[in-house]
Amino acid sequence: MNILLMEDDPVLSDILLDFLREEWDVDYAYSSQEVYERLESSNYDLFIFDINVMGKNGVELLKELRKFSNNTPAIFITAYRDTEHLQRAFDAGAHDYIKKPFELEELHARILSIKRVFNIETNEYIPIGDKIVFYPMQRTVHVNNNQVSLTAKDAMLLSYFLKNKARLISSEELSQNIWDFDSLPSDATLRSHIRTLREIIGKEKIKTIRGEGYMYE
């Protein structure tokens, strides 16, 4: 499971990172801007966001991510104890909410609950065809025991397709979930990345639905 933690309290962030990294792969962001930078090159199975951070707060950040079709499960941590902030968090698209101070084991239990509800896999590799295996963390595909390295964007695209099998995905959705909001790709650039993946995993895997988008089968 890949987790992105946003927390601007250095003491708490160190405690959380030490605890969470005992079991999962965890990246850290101090602010919403750093979250966007992380999302340029990585996909995550879970967000853990503090609400009250410097700059754009966690609720505003998640609300913006949801507008761009990022549906990654999210847990908020916060010192706020009123129901107004709780409601705002869920309205923004949160899936759980934990109030400070909290026990680390309580956070662990909530993460396991999210993992179970969303059926998040923790396998280090993903079989994607006859003698074809994808290693997301290493950004490699093994075809007939031959290793092919992927660029960060190609690996993110393949991961996104695998998480959304047999679902029509528009070009806009792909662009907004894989690229930074300020540097969305042209249609030609996106097609080039799709063509690269087809050459590696097989042309039949990613179908073009003319005028609508793509589908992984």
Side-chain angles (χ1 to χ4, degrees):
M1 174 185 270
N2 298 322
I3 298 173
L4 178 58
L5 170 70
M6 180 179 69
E7 170 60 64
D8 64 358
D9 182 328
V11 175
L12 179 57
S13 63
D14 284 346
I15 293 172
L16 291 176
L17 288 171
D18 286 344
F19 176 74
L20 295 173
R21 284 174 173 167
E22 291 181 1
E23 188 166 350
W24 298 296
D25 295 310
V26 185
D27 284 340
Y28 171 69
Y30 179 82
S31 65
S32 60
Q33 181 57 41
E34 290 190 8
V35 169
Y36 288 129
E37 292 171 1
R38 288 289 188 178
L39 291 174
E40 286 184 34
S41 57
S42 302
N43 284 324
Y44 296 96
D45 301 303
L46 175 65
F47 294 144
I48 301 177
F49 290 165
D50 194 338
I51 288 182
N52 192 23
V53 296
M54 296 293 291
K56 186 178 297 179
N57 67 44
V59 171
E60 294 170 343
L61 170 61
L62 187 63
K63 186 181 297 184
E64 190 169 80
L65 291 174
R66 295 296 189 243
K67 287 181 180 178
F68 285 93
S69 301
N70 187 313
N71 297 313
T72 302
I75 297 173
F76 276 127
I77 55 178
T78 182
Y80 292 119
R81 310 194 69 81
D82 57 280
T83 56
E84 179 183 350
H85 282 89
L86 174 65
Q87 187 61 55
R88 286 179 56 210
F90 285 115
D91 288 345
H95 297 92
D96 206 345
Y97 187 102
I98 187 168
K99 297 177 181 178
K100 301 176 184 177
F102 56 85
E103 297 291 335
L104 293 174
E105 288 303 326
E106 179 184 355
L107 177 60
H108 185 267
R110 291 175 184 271
I111 293 172
L112 292 181
S113 176
I114 291 286
K115 179 178 178 291
R116 183 175 61 255
V117 169
F118 288 89
N119 193 30
I120 298 172
E121 297 293 338
T122 57
N123 294 335
E124 294 182 357
Y125 64 90
I126 305 171
I128 60 175
D130 185 27
K131 297 183 179 179
I132 304 176
V133 179
F134 175 43
Y135 290 80
M137 297 299 295
Q138 291 81 16
R139 299 207 305 256
T140 60
V141 174
H142 290 220
V143 183
N144 295 320
N145 295 320
N146 294 315
Q147 178 176 305
V148 180
S149 297
L150 302 179
T151 66
K153 290 293 187 290
D154 287 341
M156 292 172 70
L157 274 170
L158 182 53
S159 293
Y160 199 83
F161 277 123
L162 291 170
K163 289 180 180 179
N164 295 275
K165 290 181 179 179
R167 182 173 75 82
L168 176 63
I169 308 173
S170 68
S171 298
E172 181 181 20
E173 179 180 340
L174 286 173
S175 298
Q176 291 173 348
N177 277 280
I178 306 302
W179 276 265
D180 181 71
F181 303 137
D182 296 326
S183 58
L184 296 178
S186 65
D187 289 341
T189 296
L190 179 57
R191 287 196 299 270
S192 176
H193 284 281
I194 298 293
R195 183 167 57 252
T196 297
L197 289 179
R198 285 172 169 159
E199 291 173 353
I200 296 171
I201 66 173
K203 295 180 179 179
E204 74 284 355
K205 294 291 184 182
I206 303 174
K207 304 290 186 183
T208 298
I209 311 300
R210 190 172 299 278
E212 298 185 64
Y214 301 91
M215 183 180 295
Y216 182 94
E217 298 181 345

